[in-house]
Amino acid sequence: KNQVEQSPQSLIILEGKNCTLQCNYTVSPFSNLRWYKQDTGRGPVSLTIMTFSENTKSNGRYTATLDADTKQSSLHITASQLSDSASYICVLLTGGGNKLTFGTGTQLKVEL
Amino acid sequence: KAGVTQTPRYLIKTRGQQVTLSCSPISGHRSVSWYQQTPGQGLQFLFEYFSETQRNKGNFPGRFSGRQFSNSRSEMNVSTLELGDSALYLCASSLGQWETDTQYFGPGTRLTVL
């Protein structure tokens, strides 16, 4: 079983709508949790980095939250745009800061 | 400021051959890390270099190796290629603090092993 599970696996929403992507993890403790956006055919782009003691971090229309008790993180996208269509990946830095565990990713498609 | 560059962008090799991929980090960045991305396994961490020293390593066989030069440029080498090595290889650079700094990824090198 993957230590970092993301849901849903894929999602289609209409432009302008909000959406929330989930990341459930079993690895503990961890140094930080990151969300990346990856456009097709391109390298990932960092959206947010949160330490285990932070609850929320925003980057424009992207807001990440972290609940250490339930071992869940969410990425909320507000007022979606066509350019938000991409894969979103949750990543945990564990093992004292020298091990990266990647989530399975959520493929988001924003349509007109 | 120029971003992370990787060369070549595409590469086709045959089983048993070896390959060297190159990564030039953003100017001033001293940490370079490498990743393998496949449809089946997703993103996986290979290793990270800082000041010409490998600081962190993922769970890949010894056929995968790397090095970093004094100008922070890094190379990754895969020997005795296998079909399963076909993947997108990404490198990322950061200022130096692997744990907290934002990582900037290059466009990747698409390796196909026939």
Side-chain angles (χ1 to χ4, degrees), chain A residues 27-31 92-101, chain B residues 56 98-99:
Chain A
V27 292
S28 182
F30 62 89
S31 300
L92 270 72
L93 182 64
T94 62
N98 64 358
K99 178 175 163 57
L100 282 175
T101 305
Chain B
N56 297 288
W98 158 258
E99 297 84 358

Side-chain angles (χ1 to χ4, degrees), chain A residues 15-83:
Chain A
E15 186 182 29
K17 298 296 185 182
N18 303 334
C19 68
T20 300
L21 313 181
Q22 298 288 346
C23 173
N24 296 328
Y25 59 92
T26 58
V27 292
S28 182
F30 62 89
S31 300
N32 61 53
L33 186 150
R34 309 171 184 213
W35 282 93
Y36 286 98
K37 175 190 177 189
Q38 186 175 21
D39 294 316
T40 302
R42 307 188 71 170
V45 173
S46 179
L47 294 176
T48 62
I49 302 175
M50 288 188 295
T51 65
F52 65 89
S53 61
E54 292 181 290
N55 298 121
T56 186
K57 184 70 70 77
S58 291
N59 178 2
R61 294 180 299 103
Y62 301 100
T63 299
T65 61
L66 176 62
D67 186 332
D69 292 331
T70 61
K71 296 187 177 180
Q72 290 183 326
S73 177
S74 299
L75 180 69
H76 186 73
I77 304 175
T78 305
S80 61
Q81 300 175 358
L82 296 178
S83 59

